[in-house]
Amino acid sequence: MSGRARVTLFAMLATLLTSWSLASLVDSSGWLLQAGALLAVQSGVGAGARRVPLGRTLTVAAQVLVSLLVLVFLFAGKGESTGTGPMAYLVTDFGALFRQGVHDVGEFAIPAPLTDGIRLLLIVGVLLIGLLVDLLAVTLRTAAAAGLPLLALYSVAAGLSGGGGASAVSFLLAGCGYLLLLLAEGRDRLAQWGRVFGAPPGGRAASASGYGGVAASTQAVAPVRTGRRIGAVALGIALVVPAVLPSLGGGLLGAQGDAEGGGTGIGGTISAVNPLVSLQSSLNTPDNRVVLKYRTDSPQLGEQYLRILALDEFNGVKWEASGRALTDVPERLPTPPGLSEQVRGTGTEVRTSISAADTYAQRYLPMPYPATSVDIPGKWRFEPAGRTLVGDQLGKDRFQNVQGAMYTVRSLLLRPTAVELQAAPQPDPAIKAEYTKLPDNLPPVVADTARQVTKGAKDDYTRAVRLQDYFAEDGGFRYDTKVASGTGPQAIARFLADKEGFCIHFAFSMAAMSRTLGIPARVAVGFTPGEKQSDGSVNVSMRDAHAWPELYFEGVGWTRFEPTPRQGITVPDYSRPEAPAAQPSAPTALPSQGAAQPSAAPSQADACPPEERKLGECGAAAPHGNTGSTGGGPSLTAVLGWTLPVLALLALPLLPLLWRRRLRGRRLAAGDVMAAWRELGDAAWDVGIAPDGALSPRRAAGRVVVLGRLEPDAADAVHRVAGAVERALYAPPGTGAPYEGLAADVLLVHAALLGSVSRRSRLRALFLPRSAVRLRWAAAARWSALTARAAAPLAKAGAALARTRARLPLRSRG
């Protein structure tokens, strides 16, 4: 195989290995086989065009044209064509399929179903990256620059998958592919300078033998081998260092988050120290990773907000959580403040099992409000006023956090009615005094606007609803996450004037305006309900981060309102005076755009999926008869699906051993002396004695005996085989005697050669035989013959064209 053909092959391999990082985006990886086949066709066209040869522009054009034709054949009839003819088909049918793919990407959660549109997007993306890699590495001969499109492909996969698809395995495959491409290109460049010399293997050739020349006192290591070692070490460091030094961050393998819970928001942490910057970073990040998964038996999933903490102090600079004393977590949390038995009696206690991602490090525990009990491992403390759980200190600068935790929360699903809220008595004086405090520097426009919006309202509930409607519907406010997240008094005044901001501005402004009206108010920070998955679980991602105001009503307690006009968020039913009082509301729409609404009931499947088992939803197994279809163990398909790849992986190291054994049996079974001599030479080559075609059979046998340090019996067997070879080559036909012990002598020499080397060399000879390079030589010879046959018709056509032009008159040429 020529150097450029080798670089072409490894460029295709590097693209395909990097494409593996996209596998986690969809629920089926069958598209990878199609992408690999099309990538091979595209690379083959490029190799043929360069063999002709064609110019660089024509080579790329030929690759694009053939790739388009293959795509047309593959996706024929998948779209909705509205025209006739090839051009109309390409424009309308492919355009419709592309639009459908873009729509499907926004519609489905990861892993998405492999629709025709998504499959087209994936394959076209891989082909485009493969074309760029082939152009840079092979056509332009700059393999190092080919790492840029490969990095772009990996980065897109890592960003879309939220870090789960961009695992250590994906990074390792992508890195190995790029490293192999660099080594192939380096070897090609090095080969253009001439032969690479090195010392004899193991330093066996001594000057006294007469065969080795100069003793190998020093060994010249080939630059290619040095490059392999440097690349392997660099790749190992890239994988190991982030794991050993977590302070460096997750890098390409995914952010690790902030162990103290005071992170920057890049890792998905909503920090208790500065939740505003983290929340805005979470809403604006392109890496919308999943931070929480949960299952619940709540019949009203639209109310399943996961609350982290409450910001209850407005000090003239910002909203923040006031410092309060922490207690041990009780087995049963105390009754929420202000909740009457009447409202509690109409509510329901629900159970929610939550699993936090390994990349989510939050010191405050996300859970539904109001929680009644929490079952979680680790050291946690309870803050009674805000009803939050806080990670306890584990050591110097180390605190318990929710990273990777699985926990269960029981909470109350309350259904207050508009009538109950409207008839709520005056709040407790202590609560009203604490939660209606306002800073002295609050601009008058805040109170003036609140009074103007609520003019004519007779009670606090009506005032709260009018404030909510003012922000969400009537006031002309616009949702924009790019606005600066200041929340001080001046920022609220600016927000009321500019009328644009995101949930921070809406929540803090409504809470401040409520306090000016004498309504106790605070701000909660957490997550909206999330996005339902096909297995019944719900994913909560970074863009589900949210802030909302909580207003206090005696008899109901702290009650959520929703002033943010964000797409997918609806206001609570109890904030609508016309809402039915006795009927539970239907599930509200979830906040994630394009998400399907969660089902209103928990899964009732008999079998427990792995996701439920991880979240602790299985409970005790109920005894029942074996039906043959719903057993708790893995299915036969799953067992075979895991067993066969594992067996194939374990069998890979045995392939060279099996190949050599089969080849040895074929050579010795034929009884041919020359085949047996080749087998003896390969046996010596496998232990480090490279063949030398310039030596006669007798001198070659002596070289094997000396370098292999063979015992007399094995040495005699080598000379007997060499003598038979000389007779076969030089004796007159028909004079050679049959050699009955040929196979036995070769096997004796093979065993003696293996016994004369160290264990490491013996294992190398068995599992990584050097003579296996003959396979590569044979493949290169077949490839050369194939390309020669393919080029012959082109050469004949060119010669015929030249002869035709030569016969034309001079005036007709050109």
Side-chain angles (χ1 to χ4, degrees):
M1 183 182 295
S2 64
R4 180 166 286 195
R6 185 184 298 108
V7 176
T8 303
L9 177 63
F10 280 102
M12 181 189 71
L13 181 62
T15 305
L16 197 58
L17 290 177
T18 307
S19 303
W20 176 260
S21 57
L22 296 170
S24 61
L25 301 182
V26 290
D27 57 7
S28 174
S29 56
W31 67 273
L32 277 171
L33 297 177
Q34 296 176 335
L38 268 64
L39 199 61
V41 171
Q42 180 176 271
S43 301
V45 171
R50 286 184 288 266
R51 183 84 176 182
V52 170
L54 295 179
R56 294 175 177 177
T57 304
L58 292 178
T59 298
V60 176
Q63 290 177 287
V64 172
L65 179 60
V66 173
S67 299
L68 284 176
L69 293 176
V70 176
L71 285 172
V72 168
F73 174 77
L74 183 62
F75 290 94
K78 303 294 184 182
E80 297 180 358
S81 181
T82 58
T84 58
M87 187 57 63
Y89 172 79
L90 285 175
V91 174
T92 61
D93 198 46
F94 259 44
L97 203 56
F98 261 97
R99 288 193 298 272
Q100 183 62 40
V102 173
H103 176 268
D104 291 343
V105 168
E107 181 71 19
F108 296 105
I110 293 174
L114 187 60
T115 63
D116 291 328
I118 293 179
R119 183 159 59 101
L120 176 63
L121 293 181
L122 290 172
I123 293 178
V124 168
V126 171
L127 289 179
L128 179 60
I129 296 297
L131 181 64
L132 292 175
V133 172
D134 187 84
L135 172 65
L136 294 171
V138 188
T139 304
L140 302 180
R141 306 182 70 86
T142 55
L148 294 177
L150 294 176
L151 178 61
L153 178 61
Y154 177 85
S155 301
V156 168
L160 292 177
S161 63
S167 64
V169 176
S170 299
F171 176 72
L172 181 61
L173 290 176
C176 287
Y178 181 53
L179 178 60
L180 291 173
L181 173 61
L182 291 180
L183 292 176
E185 196 255 359
R187 182 172 182 176
D188 180 40
R189 289 181 180 274
L190 193 62
Q192 297 176 20
W193 290 88
R195 181 181 175 186
V196 179
F197 290 92
R204 286 199 178 100
S207 57
S209 67
Y211 304 105
V214 182
S217 58
T218 59
Q219 184 175 358
V221 182
V224 172
R225 188 180 305 169
T226 304
R228 292 193 190 102
R229 294 172 180 173
I230 293 174
V233 171
L235 188 60
I237 291 175
L239 289 170
V240 173
V241 168
V244 176
L245 301 176
S247 61
L248 295 181
L252 290 176
L253 301 183
Q256 298 297 322
D258 184 2
E260 278 84 294
T264 64
I266 302 302
T269 300
I270 309 298
S271 169
V273 178
N274 188 359
L276 313 182
V277 176
S278 282
L279 197 151
Q280 187 173 23
S281 298
S282 299
L283 293 173
N284 287 321
T285 180
D287 183 9
N288 189 28
R289 74 189 65 178
V290 174
V291 293
L292 297 168
K293 291 177 178 285
Y294 71 85
R295 291 179 181 272
T296 183
D297 57 4
S298 172
Q300 198 169 348
L301 289 182
E303 298 295 326
Q304 195 71 8
Y305 281 59
L306 298 180
R307 185 173 173 275
I308 296 176
L309 79 161
L311 308 178
D312 54 6
E313 183 176 332
F314 191 24
N315 56 17
V317 178
K318 61 181 179 180
W319 285 84
E320 63 181 4
S322 58
R324 299 180 185 271
L326 302 178
T327 65
D328 293 335
V329 181
E331 183 176 350
R332 187 77 178 176
L333 302 186
T335 302
L339 180 62
S340 66
E341 289 298 328
Q342 178 184 354
V343 175
R344 179 165 184 165
T346 60
T348 306
E349 185 172 85
V350 298
R351 181 176 183 268
T352 305
S353 297
I354 305 173
S355 174
D358 293 333
T359 56
Y360 179 61
Q362 170 54 254
R363 191 180 166 197
Y364 283 74
L365 189 68
M367 55 185 183
Y369 182 88
T372 57
S373 66
V374 183
D375 181 14
I376 184 172
K379 297 181 63 177
W380 295 88
R381 304 279 284 172
F382 178 60
E383 194 273 287
R387 298 184 67 83
T388 57
L389 261 63
V390 187
D392 201 1
Q393 188 165 5
L394 302 177
K396 184 179 180 181
D397 298 329
R398 291 180 58 244
F399 295 87
Q400 177 72 55
N401 63 55
V402 74
Q403 188 174 19
M406 291 180 288
Y407 56 101
T408 302
V409 181
R410 292 190 177 274
S411 59
L412 295 176
L413 176 61
L414 301 176
R415 298 184 179 93
T417 65
V419 174
E420 289 171 335
L421 292 168
Q422 194 169 13
Q426 286 295 314
D428 181 89
I431 291 180
K432 185 170 184 177
E434 180 177 2
Y435 292 99
T436 56
K437 290 180 180 178
L438 291 167
D440 296 334
N441 60 345
L442 185 68
V445 67
V446 179
D448 294 342
T449 304
R451 286 193 296 269
Q452 182 180 356
V453 170
T454 60
K455 185 177 180 180
K458 303 295 185 180
D459 54 79
D460 288 346
Y461 165 75
T462 306
R463 297 185 185 97
V465 171
R466 289 190 180 182
L467 287 177
Q468 174 182 269
D469 292 345
Y470 171 68
F471 288 110
E473 299 176 3
D474 306 332
F477 288 85
R478 187 172 64 89
Y479 184 82
D480 186 359
T481 60
K482 303 299 182 181
V483 178
S485 60
T487 59
Q490 298 302 324
I492 295 177
R494 185 169 57 251
F495 169 66
L496 293 176
D498 297 341
K499 294 191 175 184
E500 58 180 9
F502 60 104
C503 57
I504 288 289
H505 303 91
F506 290 95
F508 289 162
S509 298
M510 180 172 173
M513 294 170 73
S514 298
R515 287 193 175 191
T516 65
L517 300 174
I519 306 175
R522 64 188 185 187
V523 175
V525 177
F527 295 99
T528 52
E531 184 176 22
K532 179 202 171 186
Q533 304 301 299
S534 58
D535 62 354
S537 65
V538 181
N539 285 357
V540 178
S541 60
M542 293 178 65
R543 292 182 191 168
D544 292 318
H546 190 47
W548 61 92
E550 291 181 342
L551 276 56
Y552 182 85
F553 292 90
E554 194 67 37
V556 179
W558 291 104
T559 308
R560 177 179 66 87
F561 283 81
E562 195 59 81
T564 304
R566 175 173 162 186
Q567 184 177 0
I569 293 182
T570 57
V571 299
D573 288 341
Y574 53 74
S575 67
R576 296 298 187 188
E578 67 275 12
Q583 297 295 328
S585 61
T588 58
L590 291 180
S592 300
Q593 299 184 13
Q597 189 173 357
S599 62
S603 174
Q604 299 296 327
D606 294 332
C608 182
E611 295 81 3
E612 290 192 13
R613 191 178 300 111
K614 181 180 179 183
L615 293 172
E617 283 291 323
C618 298
H624 55 81
N626 182 14
T627 64
S629 61
T630 59
S635 64
L636 178 61
T637 304
V639 172
L640 293 178
W642 283 102
T643 303
L644 294 180
V646 170
L647 292 178
L649 185 63
L650 295 177
L652 284 178
L654 300 178
L655 293 180
L657 174 65
L658 298 176
W659 171 77
R660 282 291 292 122
R661 182 172 296 178
R662 181 172 179 270
L663 181 61
R664 184 181 305 114
R666 289 173 55 189
R667 285 172 170 174
L668 298 182
D672 181 62
V673 174
M674 300 306 299
W677 178 248
R678 283 194 296 271
E679 174 57 35
L680 193 150
D682 285 352
W685 191 3
D686 290 341
V687 297
I689 306 173
D692 189 346
L695 299 178
S696 66
R698 185 171 302 180
R699 290 181 62 84
R703 181 171 178 265
V704 171
V705 170
V706 173
L707 298 182
R709 299 189 295 272
L710 300 181
E711 299 294 333
D713 292 343
D716 293 342
V718 174
H719 287 298
R720 284 197 296 271
V721 176
V725 172
E726 289 181 337
R727 289 192 297 272
L729 291 174
Y730 308 121
T735 60
Y739 188 175
E740 299 295 340
L742 178 63
D745 283 345
V746 173
L747 294 176
L748 174 62
V749 175
H750 178 258
L753 288 171
L754 292 177
S756 66
V757 296
S758 64
R759 177 180 298 179
R760 179 178 178 182
S761 299
R762 184 161 57 252
L763 292 175
R764 163 73 189 274
L766 291 173
F767 293 100
L768 293 173
R770 294 175 175 85
S771 60
V773 73
R774 294 189 185 278
L775 292 175
R776 192 178 70 184
W777 293 350
R782 291 191 182 96
W783 174 262
S784 298
L786 181 62
T787 54
R789 286 197 298 270
L794 295 177
K796 291 180 179 179
L801 180 61
R803 288 194 298 270
T804 302
R805 289 173 59 88
R807 288 195 294 269
L808 293 175
L810 292 178
R811 192 173 295 175
S812 301
R813 298 182 185 180

